[in-house]
Amino acid sequence: MGLLFLLFTLVPFIELYLLIQIGEVVGAWYTLLFVIGMGVLGAWLAKSQGRKVLTEWTNAMSQGRMPEEGVLGGVLIFVGGLLLITPGVITDFVGLLILVPFTRRLVARRVRSYFERKIQLGQMRVGQVRVDRAPTGQGFAWPPRSQDPNVIDTEGEELH
């Protein structure tokens, strides 16, 4: 609860304070232009970096190799774009850092090592969920099909 409290309560107050202080120094209109400009820059950077990563993924997969920047890079681009679109000075700075490829790779390494450490310590488990499409294409099959090769899954219809 402590971290969530900081993120959703204190950070917005600090951001508001900083924007008011900047507004007093440079003026309200320039501060507003800064906030709007960072939002536009964030949307553009997120879109361009997202396309770049998606193109790299597609090229790597078509060549039969793993992409250099995995799913975590895509998630970080999304988070960086959200932070830049969110009004504030701190969130803009962190969002820019995440969207720059060099620093994004550094952040991705740190996040990956954090999760690996949690998994090794048994504080986090990773699972996999598989959902098959129903034969009609109208939804998902439930329960999921068996992974046991000795089980034969069948589809049936109750007749009255």
Side-chain angles (χ1 to χ4, degrees):
M1 180 173 144
L3 181 61
L4 288 177
F5 175 76
L6 286 174
L7 287 176
F8 293 112
T9 306
L10 291 181
V11 170
F13 280 117
I14 294 169
E15 294 282 22
L16 183 59
Y17 175 78
L18 288 173
L19 287 173
I20 290 170
Q21 294 302 311
I22 291 170
E24 288 179 2
V25 173
V26 299
W29 288 109
Y30 287 119
T31 304
L32 184 62
L33 283 174
F34 168 77
V35 169
I36 292 170
M38 291 306 281
V40 170
L41 176 67
W44 178 80
L45 269 174
K47 183 177 179 180
S48 68
Q49 288 298 304
R51 279 189 179 157
K52 182 179 175 188
V53 168
L54 186 60
T55 301
E56 289 174 8
W57 286 352
T58 305
N59 290 341
M61 297 304 265
S62 68
Q63 296 170 3
R65 60 181 176 82
M66 288 298 293
E68 290 180 24
E69 193 162 10
V71 174
L72 184 56
V75 170
L76 288 175
I77 289 170
F78 178 72
V79 169
L82 281 178
L83 288 173
L84 273 171
I85 292 170
T86 304
V89 178
I90 297 169
T91 53
D92 288 345
F93 178 74
V94 173
L96 274 175
L97 281 179
I98 291 174
L99 285 176
V100 173
F102 173 74
T103 51
R104 181 175 60 246
R105 288 186 195 106
L106 293 175
V107 171
R109 253 186 253 134
R110 294 281 300 231
V111 170
R112 190 177 304 113
S113 68
Y114 169 80
F115 283 121
E116 287 171 352
R117 196 169 40 255
K118 290 286 188 185
I119 291 168
Q120 287 174 351
L121 293 172
Q123 297 173 343
M124 181 181 289
R125 291 185 340 180
V126 178
Q128 181 177 350
V129 176
R130 179 175 169 224
V131 179
D132 290 329
R133 277 275 187 197
T136 61
Q138 299 299 316
F140 293 103
W142 190 257
R145 302 194 188 281
S146 174
Q147 300 298 315
D148 186 348
N150 298 319
V151 173
I152 299 173
D153 283 324
T154 63
E155 304 267 344
E157 184 176 319
E158 186 176 342
L159 299 175
H160 295 279

